[in-house]
Amino acid sequence: MINENEISVCVRKALDGYFKDLDGEKPCAIYEMVVGCVEKPLLQVILDHAQGNQTRAAEILGLNRNTLRKKMKTHGIK
């Protein structure tokens, strides 16, 4: 197995559990589900790290500031 970082291990473990819990049901929209679960806390942590400075947070994330603001609005982050 490839050497994985802690985040990768957590995602893999969560998805393994998700597939086990499906109990034969067909999975769908996995990508959207995972991104939806991860994106809000990611944005919140980075904004806290940047002390609320959206320009700096966008730089850390590698996003345009307008994209960050749009994502914040989508997730109800002030």
Side-chain angles (χ1 to χ4, degrees), residues 34-44 63 71 74-75 77:
V34 171
V35 170
C37 289
V38 172
E39 190 170 54
K40 183 175 182 177
L42 170 64
L43 297 176
Q44 290 171 321
L63 298 175
K71 290 179 178 292
T74 298
H75 293 291
I77 300 170

Side-chain angles (χ1 to χ4, degrees), residues 8-33:
S8 296
V9 171
C10 288
V11 170
R12 184 178 300 281
K13 184 177 177 181
L15 284 170
D16 286 345
Y18 173 80
F19 284 115
K20 286 177 187 169
D21 289 346
L22 282 177
D23 195 33
E25 292 293 319
K26 182 180 173 187
C28 64
I30 300 292
Y31 179 82
E32 187 175 319
M33 178 191 73

Side-chain angles (χ1 to χ4, degrees), residues 23-75:
D23 195 33
E25 292 293 319
K26 182 180 173 187
C28 64
I30 300 292
Y31 179 82
E32 187 175 319
M33 178 191 73
V34 171
V35 170
C37 289
V38 172
E39 190 170 54
K40 183 175 182 177
L42 170 64
L43 297 176
Q44 290 171 321
V45 168
I46 298 302
L47 282 161
D48 285 347
H49 179 77
Q51 299 175 328
N53 184 316
Q54 293 177 14
T55 301
R56 181 69 186 124
E59 289 172 1
I60 293 168
L61 289 162
L63 298 175
N64 177 288
R65 191 172 66 88
N66 290 333
T67 301
L68 172 60
R69 291 175 60 89
K70 180 181 174 188
K71 290 179 178 292
M72 289 172 62
K73 185 175 181 181
T74 298
H75 293 291

